[in-house]
Amino acid sequence: MKLRSKDLISAADLEKREVKAILEEAEHMLGTVRKGRQLKMLKGKILATLFFEPSTRTRLSFESAMTRLGGSVIGFSGTEGTSVRKGETLQDTVRNVENYADGIAMRHPLEGSARLAAQSVKIPVINGGDGANQHPTQALLDLFTIKQEKDLRNTRVALCGDLKYGRTVHSLMYLLPMFGTEISIVSPEVLGMPEHIMDEVEGRYGTRPEKQASLKEAVKWADVLYVTRIQRERFPDPNEYERVAGSYVVDSRLLSGAKKDMVILHPLPRVDEIKPEVDSTPYAKYFDQTFYGVVVRMALLNMLMGGGRHG
Amino acid sequence: MVRRIEKGTVLDHLPAGSALSIMNLLKLEDNLVVVAVNVLSSRYGTKDMIKIEGKLLSKAESDKIGLIAPNATINIIRGGRVMSKGRASPPEEIKGILRCPNKKCITNFEQCETKFIRTGDKYKCVFCESHFSVRDFELQPS
């Protein structure tokens, strides 16, 4: 199926039936990738990846997804060497790119940039992160990863870390309750989930995520622990950062209180919030996420730029 | 000195103390304006009133009043008579007239029309998705 909108800008725009369709399409893509089949659904189509700020996984997985669908990719990473440095506006940039490509995947440091870009062109625009606002494709791949591991309906997901500026958790807040997944949140007080998102989620789904007192409590409660990075630059006082960040570290000792089948996800990159000793435990699923990112983006590209049918 | 107006607008039931903000917002320096402040009101205790000669408010201007004075009465006068009487209400959608208070919203960097949608007692920027109460906005003159 095609999505209602020509674009994917915010998880808040998606309906449950659309999310289900994306997950089903991704499941199909997963099968074809595992079989090593080369698909040709987007043969002759060009995706422009416009990354106005750094990215490793999102950009490369979009490029990998497009290539696996038989299409090709143009674009830039960082504004060095582009007319953006000469003061070209975002609107002019995407209007030009529209003449070179059939779709745009973009990341930009300013909130609302993807929505403005989408309004400026006729081709599909996919938001790969707009400031601290939204990162819907990451949230969709997180959801897909959880679905591979758990039954979404009977799962408890604890979101922890920087919930104020973390765009992936903002997107997840809209997607998880669609499937009856229970959410709780745990974060330093200054990095709490924006109240407007809590209010909107409560208004839509009738439940307000509960706050856990500590990471330790969240680990005991959760079936899925979703960890995000606490960034040093968010704290005016470096001592405060050291104090807070130290209490949001996932290590073997903390995991001794976890359910045996709990899984840990992280949108990556991580710095030191998950200790390397955790990587080899059955809890660690964050590298699986990066693989699922490709198949979810294949599904999205096919639905937005192709016919949206399985190949 | 305060004569009956032939054509214009009378804004009544404005919150006491809001008249000057509303005058500034509507850029009324070229109009003949009569202002009454802290007038006794049976409904609100005290209220402000503004009588504007020669100006009929547009929808966008009424929306601005609705933001500051959601219970204001807007009387349109033609030929010396009240031709219509409406209640200002918080607009469902505000296009173009407000700047987004989020400093990192793209609309503060590019030339584009801002748009806010009412969600209960707040307004949501359709671009950055942040929510704001009316007092968060710096209301710009027309």
Side-chain angles (χ1 to χ4, degrees):
Chain A
M1 71 176 264
K2 293 283 264 185
L3 301 180
R4 285 174 306 137
S5 167
K6 76 171 176 69
D7 313 292
L8 176 58
I9 304 303
S10 169
D13 299 338
L14 291 170
E15 287 182 353
K16 183 179 176 181
R17 64 186 181 90
E18 293 177 298
V19 177
K20 277 177 81 173
I22 294 165
L23 297 179
E24 279 167 21
E25 184 87 357
E27 198 72 57
H28 174 78
M29 295 297 180
L30 179 63
T32 59
V33 169
R34 281 193 169 142
K35 282 179 199 154
R37 277 178 59 199
Q38 169 66 50
L39 299 172
K40 293 179 180 161
M41 293 145 173
L42 296 186
K43 193 176 176 198
K45 298 267 175 97
I46 298 172
L47 175 72
T49 54
L50 311 184
F51 280 69
F52 295 81
E53 65 169 18
S55 162
T56 304
R57 276 152 297 277
T58 305
R59 183 173 63 84
L60 289 178
S61 70
F62 266 117
E63 294 183 2
S64 171
M66 190 63 183
T67 308
R68 285 180 184 277
L69 292 170
S72 47
V73 180
I74 58 172
F76 57 79
S77 180
T79 54
E80 185 75 36
T82 71
S83 291
V84 175
R85 287 291 171 100
K86 298 174 192 162
E88 185 167 59
T89 64
L90 171 65
Q91 292 169 93
D92 280 0
T93 303
V94 294
R95 281 181 195 132
N96 283 304
V97 169
E98 186 175 26
N99 294 315
Y100 310 139
D102 304 291
I104 291 172
M106 64 175 279
R107 172 172 290 179
H108 196 282
L110 294 173
E111 287 133 37
S113 50
R115 181 89 61 194
L116 181 63
Q119 278 187 11
S120 310
V121 296
K122 291 193 177 72
I123 60 175
V125 173
I126 304 175
N127 185 6
D130 60 326
N133 183 32
Q134 283 275 322
H135 195 349
T137 65
Q138 176 70 44
L140 285 163
L141 77 87
D142 296 336
L143 195 65
F144 187 78
T145 309
I146 296 169
K147 194 165 172 280
Q148 297 301 308
E149 301 291 333
K150 307 275 177 195
D151 170 11
L152 286 172
R153 177 167 288 279
N154 299 309
T155 297
R156 293 170 153 190
V157 178
L159 305 175
C160 76
D162 179 355
L163 308 184
K164 184 176 183 184
Y165 298 101
R167 53 195 169 200
T168 65
V169 287
H170 297 168
S171 295
L172 268 174
M173 284 283 283
Y174 292 100
L175 299 186
L176 290 170
M178 279 182 187
F179 297 91
T181 309
E182 212 180 324
I183 304 177
S184 75
I185 54 179
V186 59
S187 69
E189 205 173 323
V190 289
L191 298 176
M193 182 65 72
E195 282 300 311
H196 71 80
I197 297 181
M198 297 280 274
D199 292 343
E200 205 168 336
V201 168
E202 187 177 10
R204 283 184 185 204
Y205 303 107
T207 55
R208 196 175 182 87
E210 279 193 22
K211 293 179 184 173
Q212 296 285 339
S214 66
L215 184 58
K216 199 173 166 187
E217 291 300 311
V219 164
K220 274 190 210 158
W221 177 87
D223 300 307
V224 177
L225 183 68
Y226 192 91
V227 185
T228 61
R229 184 160 52 101
I230 293 175
Q231 295 177 69
R232 187 180 291 270
E233 57 269 29
R234 304 296 185 203
F235 290 81
D237 177 1
N239 294 328
E240 175 71 1
Y241 167 77
E242 296 298 339
R243 193 184 63 77
V244 167
S247 61
Y248 282 85
V249 172
V250 178
D251 57 17
S252 304
R253 206 175 59 166
L254 181 82
L255 292 174
S256 62
K259 293 177 188 170
K260 278 199 170 69
D261 61 348
M262 186 193 78
V263 298
I264 302 171
L265 303 185
H266 191 304
L268 302 177
R270 66 168 160 178
V271 181
D272 45 20
E273 60 275 20
I274 300 178
K275 292 287 180 199
E277 70 208 33
V278 179
D279 296 358
S280 56
T281 69
Y283 300 118
K285 297 292 175 191
Y286 27 93
F287 293 114
D288 294 355
Q289 275 172 277
T290 56
F291 171 63
Y292 293 136
V294 176
V295 295
V296 168
R297 290 183 174 111
M298 285 171 77
L300 285 168
L301 290 172
N302 189 38
M303 292 170 89
L304 291 169
M305 293 174 68
R309 289 192 201 100
H310 305 326
Chain B
M1 196 171 69
V2 182
R3 62 173 192 232
R4 220 175 65 158
I5 58 175
E6 279 300 303
K7 180 186 168 194
T9 306
V10 176
L11 302 175
D12 197 1
H13 303 115
L14 303 172
S18 68
L20 288 177
S21 310
I22 290 172
M23 282 176 63
N24 183 40
L25 199 61
L26 297 177
K27 267 177 109 175
L28 296 176
E29 57 261 29
D30 295 333
N31 296 85
L32 175 58
V33 179
V34 178
V35 182
V37 295
N38 295 325
V39 178
L40 287 177
S41 161
S42 54
R43 206 187 304 170
Y44 300 109
T46 54
K47 66 178 182 178
D48 288 1
M49 288 174 73
I50 303 176
K51 204 173 188 182
I52 312 160
E53 192 154 328
K55 183 177 178 71
L56 304 175
L57 293 191
S58 67
K59 168 83 172 62
E61 288 168 326
S62 298
D63 282 351
K64 282 185 177 181
I65 294 168
L67 278 173
I68 294 182
N71 294 314
T73 309
I74 302 174
N75 301 287
I76 303 294
I77 316 286
R78 282 182 204 268
R81 290 170 160 213
V82 177
M83 296 308 288
S84 70
K85 192 169 191 157
R87 173 75 52 96
S89 58
E92 290 303 313
E93 190 180 287
I94 312 164
K95 273 181 159 183
I97 58 173
L98 298 176
R99 245 185 234 155
C100 183
N102 174 7
K103 298 279 185 282
K104 291 198 75 187
C105 178
I106 187 76
T107 58
N108 288 314
F109 294 82
E110 300 244 342
Q111 280 209 341
C112 58
E113 187 177 55
T114 58
K115 188 175 167 186
F116 300 89
I117 294 170
R118 190 151 78 95
T119 57
D121 58 352
K122 294 201 168 178
Y123 284 91
K124 175 182 180 177
C125 171
V126 301
F127 291 93
C128 71
E129 304 185 18
S130 299
H131 289 55
F132 306 101
S133 56
V134 171
R135 65 177 178 278
D136 295 326
F137 292 107
E138 286 173 28
L139 295 171
Q140 305 294 314
S142 308

